[in-house]
Amino acid sequence: MLQPPHSSLQVAAVPAQRVPVRDRDQDAPWHTEAVCRRDEAGLFFAPSKEPTAARLSREEAAKRVCARCPVMVECREHALLQPEPYGVWGGLTAAERRVVLARRRRRDIELKKAARVERIPQAG
Ligand code: SF4
């Protein structure tokens, strides 16, 4: 079983097909400094059928842990690049990461359009 930095009893509660794939950089230096390596409180992943109010409260608590984590930037980029579909990573929920990724995609499209316009020879 793959072990996240915030290796948690809660992860075991996530159905097998929903367990994030984090093993690829298990030995990455940032992993060793993760504040959440032992997530006894199960803050980072939702238990099944979690009520909305409980989810919001849990996610805010997880974000407070992330806020004091020395590897938050590395963790966040990892979660965006994989991308990790579940859990709080780098201070962002899965929904927040989807927003960031959508913004990046739009930015990339705009940059490609701009590059194409620059390559079009000017008439006259
Ligand atoms: S930023 Fe948050 S999720 Fe990422 S390693 Fe640190 S505490 Fe864990």
Side-chain angles (χ1 to χ4, degrees), residues 5-6 30 34-36 44 65-66 69 71-72 75 88-91:
H6 31 60
W30 69 268
V35 168
C36 60
F44 293 86
V65 175
C66 293
C69 180
V71 293
M72 187 172 81
C75 174
V88 172
W89 291 77

Side-chain angles (χ1 to χ4, degrees), residues 1 11-20:
M1 171 125 161
V11 172
V14 176
Q17 72 276 12
R18 297 177 62 199
V19 173

Side-chain angles (χ1 to χ4, degrees), residues 3-120:
Q3 292 300 312
H6 31 60
S7 178
S8 157
L9 296 175
Q10 205 62 38
V11 172
V14 176
Q17 72 276 12
R18 297 177 62 199
V19 173
V21 180
R22 300 164 193 244
D23 212 23
R24 287 177 284 252
D25 59 356
Q26 186 74 33
D27 296 325
W30 69 268
H31 251 240
T32 62
E33 297 180 51
V35 168
C36 60
R37 283 182 72 85
R38 297 184 59 83
D39 175 29
E40 287 89 354
L43 295 177
F44 293 86
F45 289 96
S48 62
K49 299 179 181 171
E50 182 179 42
T52 301
R55 175 179 56 79
L56 294 173
S57 173
R58 179 185 51 74
E59 288 174 344
E60 287 306 312
K63 288 178 179 185
R64 284 194 293 277
V65 175
C66 293
R68 61 183 171 84
C69 180
V71 293
M72 187 172 81
V73 172
E74 293 88 342
C75 174
R76 180 177 293 184
E77 280 308 307
H78 159 87
L80 290 166
L81 289 173
Q82 287 303 314
E84 298 290 355
Y86 304 106
V88 172
W89 291 77
L92 296 178
T93 64
E96 290 166 339
R97 290 194 302 277
R98 285 193 294 275
V99 170
V100 171
L101 289 171
R103 280 194 198 129
R104 286 185 179 181
R105 278 192 295 274
R106 282 196 299 274
R107 181 200 60 197
D108 289 348
I109 289 168
E110 291 303 316
L111 288 172
K112 284 178 185 163
K113 281 183 192 170
R116 257 186 261 130
V117 168
E118 284 178 15
R119 283 197 300 267
I120 295 173

